[in-house]
Amino acid sequence: MHFATPLQLQSGALLADYTLVYETYGSLNADKSNAVLVCHALNASHHVAGVYQDDEKNVGWWDNMVGPGKALDTNKFFVIGVNNLGSCFGSTGPMHLNAATGKPYGADFPVVTVEDWVQAQARLADALGIVQFAAVMGGSLGGMQALAWSLLYPTRLRHCVVIASTPKLSAQNIAFNDVARQAILTDPGFHGGDYYAHGVVPKNGLRVARMVGHITYLSDDDMAEKFGRDLRSGAYQFGFGIDFEIESYLRYQGDKFSEYFDANTYLLITKALDYFDPAKEYDGDLTRALSKTEAQFLLVSFMTDWRFSPERSREMVQALVNNKRRVSYAEIDAPHGHDAFLLDDPRYMSVVGEYYNRIWQELEQPAASTAVTEAAGAVHEF
Amino acid sequence: MHFATPLQLQSGALLADYTLVYETYGSLNADKSNAVLVCHALNASHHVAGVYQDDEKNVGWWDNMVGPGKALDTNKFFVIGVNNLGSCFGSTGPMHLNAATGKPYGADFPVVTVEDWVQAQARLADALGIVQFAAVMGGSLGGMQALAWSLLYPTRLRHCVVIASTPKLSAQNIAFNDVARQAILTDPGFHGGDYYAHGVVPKNGLRVARMVGHITYLSDDDMAEKFGRDLRSGAYQFGFGIDFEIESYLRYQGDKFSEYFDANTYLLITKALDYFDPAKEYDGDLTRALSKTEAQFLLVSFMTDWRFSPERSREMVQALVNNKRRVSYAEIDAPHGHDAFLLDDPRYMSVVGEYYNRIWQELEQPAASTAVTEAAGAVHEF
């Protein structure tokens, strides 16, 4: 969908016009009350669920969560996946033509924030005639967008589902992002962001960026379990090729990523992560920051997630409770670190599924449902 | 000191001859029983303590620990610091001339292991007439060398002091090392390791390597305390320069490091870290591996060290206890992560100081001392 009205960005810049690529699953009901917006994280896209007729191997990034009969049941809900501004999967981004110059944006693409994305998504909702979402949902950076929705448009979502996320990055989180950015920015193939014109990509930088990022997505234990100190060929090689399986795995992940992801997009998205901090304008007081919310909340965290640990989710839960918001919170004892939010785990899926059941019951019988969500694991209703 | 006899390395390669640069502090007593060998970690050297007459700003890396009246008291002990093979601070390494080719070793410098370093150090001890050290001591990678001494030369050290170390790297540790290596290896300035001939250094790669390494040396909490989300100029810049103080700090550390450290040395030393695993030839059974030890042990770990966590030290303590070795162990509640082993902390210094007092008493009154070390904090005598 093309938007011809300029978008005012948080930086002060104006995006003259832009296109958002989106996908929908299920059917919008007559009163348009069953829409759920799913927001994506760093390297994902609008392709949330299912496969394409002509590309059956291209499975949506949250296909285990979203689909007919799944936790977010597309037989009941009308689910929208939208690719964010600055991304490299179809929506307007650094690789697209800048009408003002006739060249790709490259380094000229403005720095966008989580709040900018939400503004752009809200225009899509307007165009689709959706006044209020049944829920806005996301994991990690996607969870930040869901939270930002609850602050920028408090009445436009009834539920806010924030998974494996945080109200702001820590110094360590920012540090890892900056290592990744420096790897890209100092790659001679980067050409100040205008590598498109040079017919190259800063592949080495992107590769290292992905490798370091990937380490933070996995738990120490999970890595130990999957790879340990296993040797590729059974003996030390006494060189700088591949000794350990973990090296082989990480390099493969880095190589693969550097072949499909855009370096400018990586820079932009890590900046959006770094900048997100809704409590900033309240002297760091998250309770005051979240006082604007009107939605009900489900938060989920994973015990082995050291990127955005459960403590960060609990901080949000506490701030919402301080504001007397209705909050469900589940802390899942999954071994997979931050990545757990993308993986199948019966307790996790059951928590989210039960929460959507409750949302569905509210839609069916608006006045009746005050039932408390219960599911296996450490689910608390505040 | 130059060694003309070839050194057989663990890889099978032979180092035809080599030089070790070393420093000593204090005086060797008449029966040569008061010598302590201090082994260095990744980026340190033989310059353990004190300053040079003509360079008073160049303070030894463990000057807070080693010196007259300090925890390792050079009024009592004869302390030796030795730069390891492959390093870039004077001992034979990749930047030195390879007599066989007439060119710098570069990529041809053989991969060396912790055990190779110990072999080389033992020859230095021979040359100095030291049959048995009062103690061999090191932190982090230096602790691995101390442990290797206790296995390769069980009778040549009476005490083994292993600080903030581990009996082997985890998959996550190796992963971080490989990210650093890949940053260096893929820097176009690396030239396959022979960058000396090209008059360049892989500065960008080294810089990123150091940045990622540095993150693992600090604790999350300490970073939060020191930098948090503090902004350099008070407001978001909406660009890819410096926003956060943590970015400024890390880039500065990376820049500084890339100006003095050799890239080939970085590769070699991370490999030595990855390869160290004395339990490897015992099917991972550390108790069996450590059954060869005869020394008494002091181990120290730091509660916020997530690179080599206290759990790893406890694993060594348990294996030594299983072998009925005499072990003192202190777990220090310091906030500074892995870096704590280099920093001043009164409890830490007191634990090490008391331990050296005991060693000193044994030297003075060989038969009398069986007193148990006691110091503030969680010190356990097994």
Side-chain angles (χ1 to χ4, degrees):
Chain A
M1 187 175 290
H2 182 255
F3 297 84
T5 314
L7 186 71
Q8 175 69 57
L9 302 174
Q10 218 184 329
S11 65
L14 210 64
L15 196 60
D17 72 315
Y18 61 97
T19 299
L20 292 183
V21 177
Y22 68 103
E23 284 185 13
T24 70
Y25 320 87
S27 307
L28 190 60
N29 60 9
D31 60 356
K32 300 185 172 182
S33 63
N34 71 332
V36 174
L37 177 66
V38 173
C39 305
H40 71 76
L42 202 148
N43 67 326
S45 73
H46 52 286
H47 185 35
V48 173
V51 296
Y52 301 119
Q53 239 174 347
D54 58 351
D55 184 8
E56 296 209 346
K57 282 185 178 164
N58 186 355
V59 181
W61 60 270
W62 225 351
D63 188 65
N64 54 359
M65 174 72 83
V66 180
K70 296 182 181 173
L72 174 45
D73 188 346
T74 51
N75 288 330
K76 294 171 178 167
F77 293 98
F78 176 67
V79 176
I80 305 170
V82 54
N83 188 219
N84 284 324
L85 286 174
S87 180
C88 52
F89 297 115
S91 293
T92 303
M95 53 191 9
H96 290 116
L97 273 195
N98 179 354
T101 64
K103 291 189 292 189
Y105 277 102
D108 291 335
F109 196 87
V111 169
V112 283
T113 65
V114 168
E115 287 79 4
D116 293 333
W117 287 336
V118 169
Q119 302 287 6
Q121 291 162 1
R123 288 193 181 174
L124 177 65
D126 293 343
L128 297 174
I130 296 161
V131 176
Q132 189 187 51
F133 284 105
V136 177
M137 176 188 193
S140 190
L141 176 56
M144 292 178 177
Q145 294 161 60
L147 186 62
W149 262 95
S150 78
L151 296 169
L152 293 173
Y153 299 105
T155 61
R156 293 195 71 172
L157 65 168
R158 285 196 304 282
H159 292 269
C160 184
V161 181
V162 178
I163 298 175
S165 195
T166 176
K168 64 182 180 204
L169 294 205
S170 69
Q172 192 188 67
N173 292 147
I174 295 170
F176 278 122
N177 278 347
D178 202 46
V179 169
R181 281 191 296 262
Q182 293 302 310
I184 292 169
L185 290 163
T186 63
D187 184 325
F190 183 65
H191 294 286
D194 295 321
Y195 44 89
Y196 315 110
H198 293 78
V200 294
V201 289
K203 212 165 173 283
N204 293 330
L206 252 180
R207 181 170 173 271
V208 166
R210 179 57 167 182
M211 287 175 75
V212 70
H214 208 87
I215 297 175
T216 70
Y217 305 149
L218 306 180
S219 76
D220 191 14
D221 284 354
D222 194 34
M223 249 192 204
E225 172 84 16
K226 273 192 196 136
F227 304 103
R229 295 179 52 87
D230 293 352
L231 294 167
R232 187 90 179 281
S233 65
Y236 291 161
Q237 298 300 301
F238 295 102
F240 302 108
I242 288 174
D243 273 300
F244 296 93
E245 289 289 356
I246 181 66
E247 297 175 312
S248 167
Y249 173 78
L250 269 190
R251 293 183 203 178
Y252 174 77
Q253 295 294 334
D255 285 337
K256 213 175 60 173
F257 186 76
S258 71
E259 275 158 22
Y260 77 81
F261 207 80
D262 179 65
N264 283 314
T265 292
Y266 201 91
L267 297 176
L268 288 169
I269 295 191
T270 56
K271 267 294 169 192
L273 275 160
D274 288 3
Y275 283 167
F276 185 67
D277 183 9
K280 184 168 181 280
E281 53 186 302
Y282 299 90
D283 294 327
D285 185 339
L286 190 62
T287 296
R288 275 170 61 214
L290 300 193
S291 68
K292 283 185 280 189
T293 61
E294 298 191 19
Q296 297 179 42
F297 282 79
L298 169 66
L299 287 95
V300 181
S301 71
F302 300 92
M303 284 167 86
T304 56
D305 183 352
W306 63 281
R307 183 177 169 86
F308 300 152
S309 71
E311 202 185 338
R312 317 270 190 101
S313 284
R314 276 186 243 126
E315 210 185 308
M316 291 186 274
V317 168
Q318 190 57 57
L320 291 163
V321 168
N322 292 346
N323 282 300
K324 304 199 191 321
R325 296 291 171 274
R326 190 170 176 190
V327 188
S328 296
Y329 174 53
E331 213 166 289
I332 308 284
D333 185 14
H336 307 294
H338 189 61
D339 255 6
F341 91 87
L342 293 168
L343 301 176
D344 263 330
D345 179 293
R347 294 156 304 177
Y348 168 38
M349 291 299 159
S350 146
V351 164
V352 177
E354 286 301 316
Y355 195 81
Y356 276 105
N357 279 344
R358 173 177 132 193
I359 299 178
W360 180 246
Q361 281 160 23
E362 285 172 9
L363 286 180
E364 295 281 282
Q365 302 162 303
S369 171
T370 55
V372 164
T373 300
E374 288 294 351
V379 180
H380 309 287
E381 178 88 10
F382 294 90
Chain B
M1 186 173 292
H2 183 253
F3 296 85
T5 315
L7 185 71
Q8 175 69 57
L9 303 174
Q10 218 185 328
S11 64
L14 211 64
L15 196 60
D17 71 316
Y18 62 96
T19 298
L20 292 183
V21 176
Y22 68 103
E23 285 183 12
T24 69
Y25 320 87
S27 309
L28 192 58
N29 60 11
D31 60 357
K32 300 188 173 182
S33 64
N34 71 334
V36 174
L37 177 66
V38 173
C39 306
H40 71 77
L42 203 147
N43 66 325
S45 73
H46 51 286
H47 184 34
V48 174
V51 296
Y52 301 120
Q53 238 172 348
D54 58 351
D55 184 8
E56 295 209 345
K57 283 184 176 165
N58 188 355
V59 182
W61 60 270
W62 225 351
D63 188 65
N64 54 359
M65 174 72 83
V66 179
K70 297 184 182 172
L72 175 44
D73 188 347
T74 51
N75 290 330
K76 295 172 177 167
F77 294 98
F78 176 66
V79 176
I80 304 170
V82 53
N83 189 218
N84 284 323
L85 286 175
S87 181
C88 50
F89 297 114
S91 293
T92 303
M95 53 194 7
H96 291 116
L97 273 195
N98 179 355
T101 64
K103 290 187 293 188
Y105 278 102
D108 291 335
F109 197 87
V111 169
V112 283
T113 64
V114 167
E115 287 78 4
D116 293 333
W117 287 334
V118 169
Q119 302 287 7
Q121 291 161 2
R123 287 194 181 172
L124 177 65
D126 294 344
L128 298 174
I130 297 162
V131 176
Q132 189 187 50
F133 285 103
V136 178
M137 176 189 193
S140 190
L141 176 57
M144 292 177 177
Q145 293 161 59
L147 186 62
W149 262 95
S150 77
L151 296 169
L152 293 173
Y153 299 106
T155 61
R156 293 196 72 172
L157 65 168
R158 285 196 304 284
H159 293 270
C160 183
V161 181
V162 178
I163 298 175
S165 195
T166 176
K168 64 182 179 203
L169 295 204
S170 69
Q172 192 188 67
N173 293 148
I174 296 169
F176 279 123
N177 278 347
D178 201 47
V179 168
R181 282 192 295 263
Q182 293 302 308
I184 292 169
L185 291 164
T186 63
D187 184 325
F190 184 66
H191 294 287
D194 295 321
Y195 44 90
Y196 316 109
H198 293 80
V200 293
V201 288
K203 209 165 175 280
N204 293 329
L206 251 181
R207 181 171 175 270
V208 165
R210 180 57 168 183
M211 287 176 74
V212 70
H214 207 88
I215 298 176
T216 70
Y217 304 148
L218 306 180
S219 76
D220 191 14
D221 283 354
D222 195 35
M223 249 193 205
E225 172 84 16
K226 273 192 196 136
F227 305 103
R229 295 179 52 86
D230 294 351
L231 293 167
R232 187 90 180 282
S233 65
Y236 290 162
Q237 298 301 301
F238 296 103
F240 301 108
I242 288 174
D243 273 299
F244 296 93
E245 289 290 358
I246 181 65
E247 295 174 313
S248 168
Y249 172 78
L250 270 190
R251 292 183 203 177
Y252 174 76
Q253 295 294 334
D255 286 337
K256 212 174 59 172
F257 187 76
S258 70
E259 275 158 23
Y260 77 80
F261 207 80
D262 179 64
N264 282 315
T265 291
Y266 201 91
L267 297 177
L268 288 169
I269 295 192
T270 56
K271 268 294 168 192
L273 276 160
D274 288 3
Y275 283 168
F276 185 67
D277 182 9
K280 185 168 181 279
E281 52 186 304
Y282 299 89
D283 294 328
D285 185 338
L286 191 62
T287 296
R288 276 170 60 213
L290 299 194
S291 67
K292 283 183 280 189
T293 62
E294 298 191 18
Q296 297 179 42
F297 282 80
L298 169 66
L299 287 94
V300 180
S301 71
F302 300 92
M303 284 166 90
T304 56
D305 183 353
W306 63 280
R307 183 178 168 86
F308 299 153
S309 71
E311 201 186 337
R312 317 269 190 100
S313 283
R314 276 187 242 126
E315 209 184 310
M316 290 185 276
V317 168
Q318 189 57 57
L320 290 163
V321 169
N322 293 346
N323 283 301
K324 303 199 191 322
R325 297 291 171 274
R326 189 169 176 192
V327 188
S328 295
Y329 174 54
E331 212 167 290
I332 308 283
D333 185 14
H336 306 293
H338 188 61
D339 255 6
F341 91 87
L342 293 168
L343 302 175
D344 263 329
D345 179 292
R347 295 157 302 177
Y348 167 38
M349 291 299 160
S350 147
V351 164
V352 177
E354 286 301 316
Y355 195 82
Y356 275 105
N357 280 343
R358 174 175 131 194
I359 299 178
W360 181 246
Q361 283 160 20
E362 286 172 8
L363 286 179
E364 295 281 283
Q365 303 161 299
S369 172
T370 54
V372 164
T373 299
E374 286 295 348
V379 180
H380 309 286
E381 179 88 7
F382 295 91

